[in-house]
Amino acid sequence: MYKGIELSASLMCIDWLNAGKQLSQLEDNKLDYLHLDIIDGRFASDFTMGSSIIDHFRENTNLPSDYHLMVEEPSRLMESFQVSPGDIYTIHQECSRNLHRDLVSIRRMGARVGIALSPGTPITALDYVIEDADIILVMTVNPGYKGQPLVQQAIRKIKDLKELITRMGIETKISVDGNVNMNTVPDMVASGAEILVLGSS
């Protein structure tokens, strides 16, 4: 943690030919989480890691896991991944037919509960469920491929979300994923971001 900001490193952006070395570097640099993007090719047009690969990484690091499921109906995959205390488990509002039920199921797994919003999804989509979330993940690019340009309106969304959280008096944290770099971080943090997902940018 740096001045109250937590850092989560995206495994999606690792150099697979040097994965062990880079994992050690992440630990040496005292990052807070290992961000695990799980994509099923339906909600987002790419595929990433399955449970066997993720479990292998988990066995070789002490970093808490920051799961980000970009999959249709995430409840069908919840049993596939191991969860430890301190882990974050985030699902997309756009992907779950019964979001509240799925959030309750994640809580029962022992994880911190996260809800992700794609760039075009308004924060009003969190009505009646935001109180059940420990973290709201604001996507500042569209879900899927790495290296996309920032969706500028997302900065305003972070600010509006922070104002909502403050007004409600809840302790939900804001995480930001997409084009997080030296140029964009100041605006993200000033707007209310507390967890930054670091990837190819």
Side-chain angles (χ1 to χ4, degrees), residues 47-92:
F47 297 91
T48 53
M49 306 154 287
S51 58
S52 58
I53 294 173
I54 288 172
D55 289 347
H56 186 65
F57 274 95
R58 282 176 55 92
E59 290 165 5
N60 288 278
T61 183
N62 293 317
L63 292 173
S65 296
D66 177 11
Y67 289 99
H68 178 193
L69 274 68
M70 290 175 270
V71 302
E72 292 290 350
E73 285 306 311
S75 59
R76 64 189 172 87
L77 296 180
M78 283 182 189
E79 301 290 328
S80 302
F81 302 103
Q82 301 173 19
V83 168
S84 301
D87 288 350
I88 301 170
Y89 202 98
T90 299
I91 60 175
H92 270 262

Side-chain angles (χ1 to χ4, degrees), residues 62-198:
N62 293 317
L63 292 173
S65 296
D66 177 11
Y67 289 99
H68 178 193
L69 274 68
M70 290 175 270
V71 302
E72 292 290 350
E73 285 306 311
S75 59
R76 64 189 172 87
L77 296 180
M78 283 182 189
E79 301 290 328
S80 302
F81 302 103
Q82 301 173 19
V83 168
S84 301
D87 288 350
I88 301 170
Y89 202 98
T90 299
I91 60 175
H92 270 262
Q93 183 276 343
E94 304 91 355
C95 293
S96 178
R97 285 196 198 94
N98 193 328
L99 182 59
H100 183 267
R101 178 195 62 197
D102 290 346
L103 299 178
V104 170
S105 296
I106 293 169
R107 183 82 65 196
R108 287 178 180 156
M109 290 163 56
R112 296 164 70 195
V113 178
I115 304 172
L117 298 179
S118 296
T121 303
I123 60 174
T124 53
L126 298 171
D127 285 354
Y128 312 113
V129 290
I130 191 171
E131 299 95 331
D132 295 296
D134 299 300
I135 289 151
I136 303 299
L137 174 60
V138 176
M139 295 293 295
T140 50
V141 300
N142 284 294
Y145 295 100
K146 62 185 180 181
Q148 298 180 60
L150 179 77
V151 177
Q152 290 293 336
Q153 301 94 312
I155 301 297
R156 178 161 45 92
K157 182 189 283 186
I158 297 168
K159 184 175 183 292
D160 291 345
L161 179 59
K162 183 63 176 179
E163 290 174 355
L164 173 64
I165 289 169
T166 301
R167 190 164 63 247
M168 293 182 69
I170 55 180
E171 297 183 0
T172 306
K173 288 190 171 185
I174 299 174
S175 179
V176 176
D177 186 356
N179 210 283
V180 177
N181 59 53
M182 296 299 288
N183 294 322
T184 60
V185 162
D187 284 343
M188 291 173 174
V189 171
S191 296
E194 296 160 284
I195 303 172
L196 302 175
V197 178
L198 310 178

